[in-house]
Amino acid sequence: MNDHHAQPQPAAEGAATLPDALPVTDRTRHRRLREQGSLARADLEAILDAGFVCHLGVVVDGHPMVVPTVYGRDDTHLFLHGSVASRSLAADPETPVCVTVTHVDGLILARSVFEHGVSYRSAMIHGVPRRVTDPDEKLRGLRLLTEHAAPGQWDYARRPNRKELAATTLLALSLAEASVKTASGPPDDGTGPDAELGLWAGNLPLTAVWGEPVPDPLLPAGLAPPPHVAERAGNRQE
C-alpha cells in the first residue's frame, strides 16, 4: 500500500469475504507466460491500490468500447464511474465487463529487438457489474472512490447533494474473478549468442512523481492547499 492511498474499507456488512487465492476460470487462466502470473489476491490488491485509473471494457449497442475511469475498492468490490456500461446494463442487466489496471514500471532493453519487453504490473477483473442505487451505498462507494484517488478530500470538499447523486452512475463489480500478471528483471538474452554483440542491455525505469499543487487562478490570494494535498508533492505514484 502506498502512503498516498487511503486504507480500503472492509466490505459492507453481510458481504461474503473472498478467498486469499484467485480462482482459475476460463477467463482468468494464464495461457501464455504463465511464470508472470500470480494467484495471490494480495498481489491483485497491491496493483489496485497503486493506481486510481482503470479501463472499463464493455459492449454497447453491439460495439466494443474501452473507457478510462477512476475507481476505488473495498475488500470485495471495485467501485467505478460507469455511465457507458450502465447504458448497456439498462438494455441487458447481465452484460459482462472487463476492467483492467496497468502500471508501466519501465522498459526491458535487450540486445535483440525480439527480446525487448516492458516492466509492468497488471490486473484484469471480470464480471457483471451492479448499478448502485441505494443512496447510502452510493455515498459509501463514492467516498471510497474519492479517497482512493485523493485521501482526505472527502472530508475537505463539499460532498455530493441529492441532485448530483442522482446524476452520477456508480457501478459495483465483484473482485471474485480476476487475473494478475507482472514482468520485471533483466533481458533474457544475456546468456545467448546475442551476448557476443557487444551491445548495451538492461532496464530503463519509469517513475511517476506528484508535482507541486497548482492553484486555481480564481482562488483568493493567500489560500494555501490543505496538508493532505500539499504533502503529496514529491512522492512517487506507485
Side-chain angles (χ1 to χ4, degrees):
M1 177 74 69
N2 301 306
D3 58 4
H4 60 270
H5 282 294
Q7 291 285 344
Q9 293 187 358
E13 185 176 352
T17 58
L18 298 175
D20 292 337
L22 298 171
V24 178
T25 70
D26 287 341
R27 293 189 290 196
T28 65
R29 189 183 309 278
H30 297 131
R31 294 175 172 83
R32 292 186 63 256
L33 303 174
R34 295 180 182 178
E35 70 279 3
Q36 296 180 4
S38 171
L39 295 179
R41 184 166 298 279
D43 290 340
L44 168 67
E45 293 174 348
I47 290 172
L48 295 179
D49 292 345
F52 55 90
V53 174
C54 65
H55 285 82
L56 168 65
V58 64
V59 175
V60 179
D61 299 330
H63 301 283
M65 295 187 67
V66 179
V67 182
T69 186
V70 292
Y71 66 87
R73 76 168 183 92
D74 61 15
D75 292 341
T76 59
H77 286 82
L78 199 70
F79 293 91
L80 60 155
H81 281 299
S83 58
V84 171
S86 74
R87 285 170 49 195
S88 187
L89 288 172
D92 181 4
E94 296 301 313
T95 296
V97 303
C98 178
V99 172
T100 63
V101 176
T102 303
H103 308 293
V104 178
D105 297 320
L107 294 175
I108 302 172
L109 301 176
R111 296 155 185 84
S112 67
V113 173
F114 182 79
E115 297 292 346
H116 279 45
V118 176
S119 296
Y120 70 92
R121 294 160 288 153
S122 69
M124 299 177 67
I125 302 100
H126 301 271
V128 176
R130 171 177 55 85
R131 187 169 180 171
V132 178
T133 57
D134 178 79
D136 291 337
E137 185 185 11
K138 185 178 262 191
L139 273 176
R140 177 177 177 273
L142 290 174
R143 180 183 184 277
L144 286 169
L145 189 151
T146 302
E147 287 294 296
H148 186 72
Q153 195 68 7
W154 184 261
D155 290 330
Y156 179 77
R158 179 182 65 80
R159 299 178 187 177
N161 58 37
R162 184 176 300 180
K163 182 179 180 180
E164 291 166 338
L165 283 175
T168 302
T169 299
L170 185 70
L171 300 178
L173 178 64
S174 172
L175 293 171
E177 186 179 4
S179 64
V180 169
K181 269 192 174 183
T182 61
S184 60
D188 289 336
D189 59 355
T191 59
D194 288 333
E196 305 300 324
L197 294 175
L199 300 174
W200 184 92
N203 296 80
L204 184 62
L206 176 65
T207 302
V209 178
W210 294 103
E212 294 292 333
V214 178
D216 182 342
L218 299 180
L219 280 180
L223 187 57
H228 71 273
V229 174
E231 291 170 359
R232 297 181 76 175
N235 290 333
R236 292 179 59 181
Q237 184 207 333
E238 298 180 313

